[in-house]
Amino acid sequence: MALFMDVHNKVEGLTADAVAGAHAKDLEIQGQYGVDYKQYWFDEDSGKVFCLVDAPDAESAERVHREAHGLLADQLIPVQEGVIPGH
């Protein structure tokens, strides 16, 4: 499994309810592809959304978004989890 941060640069009409609903749809089908959408962050004013996802590969993470709600990320960046020393 690999950890990715996906970035949606401008989701039109973004609201807290809309992003929560899209995330819930991801959670409904993610198991079919061995994917785990862990957390998301968003900014309503800019329309930006960030999703942290553990997936076998980038294509599997993208497939979940495509099938769940059709909102594909503009970027899918491989990341590694970091820990701040002393925290």
Side-chain angles (χ1 to χ4, degrees), residues 22-39:
H23 182 69
K25 289 178 182 178
D26 288 331
L27 298 181
E28 286 176 16
I29 70 164
Q30 67 183 4
Q32 298 174 36
Y33 301 102
V35 171
D36 180 14
Y37 272 89
K38 297 186 164 294
Q39 190 168 349

Side-chain angles (χ1 to χ4, degrees), residues 33-55:
Y33 301 102
V35 171
D36 180 14
Y37 272 89
K38 297 186 164 294
Q39 190 168 349
Y40 66 88
W41 300 263
F42 67 97
D43 176 50
E44 263 185 57
D45 292 336
S46 69
K48 283 195 171 225
V49 179
F50 305 87
C51 305
L52 182 64
V53 56
D54 198 12

Side-chain angles (χ1 to χ4, degrees), residues 81-87:
E81 192 169 353
V83 177
I84 300 172
H87 288 83

